[in-house]
Every structure is written in structure tokens, then in C-alpha cells.
Amino acid sequence: MPVTDVNSYTNTTDIASITTNNTNTSTAVTNATNDTLGKDAFLKLLIAELSNQDPLNPMEDREFISQMATFSSLEQMQNMNNTLEGIAQVNRFNAANYIGKAVAFTKGEGTEAQQVAAVVNHVWFDPNGVTILDTTEGEVALNDIEGVSEIS
């Protein structure tokens, strides 16, 4: 068999392999885009890249280390996000401690804005995750509270 035939066959195989690799990678990226690009999607993408790389031209060590560092950063950010969500949940229920206390907040806007002191009667959580304090002067979001004190 002449050398040109072997090269032609190799090139055809390479083209089919590249097409398959691009399709697999494209599918992984599309699936990752539909969800959030989490650590599972990132790991699948990395495995697809490693399993479909050319054995004669493998990924350089620097690229692999960079991708693993990115993976590690992504995992730590997700862990930190989970921790912050837990803290926010605890803080949300700590708002119940405001019941029976005086709170200060600004009511109105612009030239009609005035500082108001009111007693908290109830605490509730709206569907958007905002903690609402029901006071003697109306409802106010927990984030808008400027001061808290005991009633003397």
C-alpha cells in the first residue's frame, strides 16, 4: 500500500474522530449550559477532553494543572455558596428575636422620608426569600432595619 493511501486513511479517521469529539464536547457544553456549569459538568468535560485527545499530541501538563486548579476553585466556590446559604437561613430565623422589640427604619422616600420607631408584632417570610417584619407602623423588610432596642 502506498504511503499516500495510509496518510489518506489516517486523515479520514482523524476527521471522523475530530467530528465525534466535537459532537461529544458540544453535547457536554450544551448540557452544562442548560444547567449551571457545576463541578459534575466540568469533570465530564475534562474526562471527555482527556479521553479524546490525540495520543501523539497529548495535553500539556500546564494545561491539565490549570484545568484541575479551575475545578478545585469551582468546587470551593460551591462549598462556600452552600455555607453562605446555610448562614442566611439561620439569620432569617433569627429575625423572630425581633418580636416585641423596637426597631428603627426609614419610611417613605425623598423629601417625605422620615425615621420611624415601631414595635415588631410578627415576622414572616415572603416567597422571594425576603424576611418581613410586621410592625405597629407597617411592614418593613429585615434588610431595611437601621436599629433595634429593647422596650423599656
Side-chain angles (χ1 to χ4, degrees), residues 14-83:
D14 288 345
I15 290 171
S17 174
I18 289 168
T19 303
T20 303
N21 293 347
N22 287 342
T23 303
N24 291 341
T25 304
S26 176
T27 303
V29 169
T30 302
N31 290 341
T33 303
N34 290 342
D35 302 326
T36 57
L37 185 57
K39 60 184 174 184
D40 292 335
F42 183 83
L43 194 56
K44 285 178 185 177
L45 192 60
L46 183 61
I47 289 170
E49 184 178 349
L50 289 173
S51 63
N52 293 313
Q53 72 179 336
D54 182 7
L56 299 176
N57 186 17
M59 183 187 307
E60 291 186 28
D61 290 341
R62 282 176 270 142
E63 291 176 35
F64 185 73
I65 291 169
S66 172
Q67 289 182 353
M68 289 308 294
T70 302
F71 176 73
S72 178
S73 295
L74 175 64
E75 185 174 28
Q76 291 201 6
M77 280 190 278
Q78 285 180 331
N79 291 341
M80 185 170 37
N81 188 36
N82 291 340
T83 301

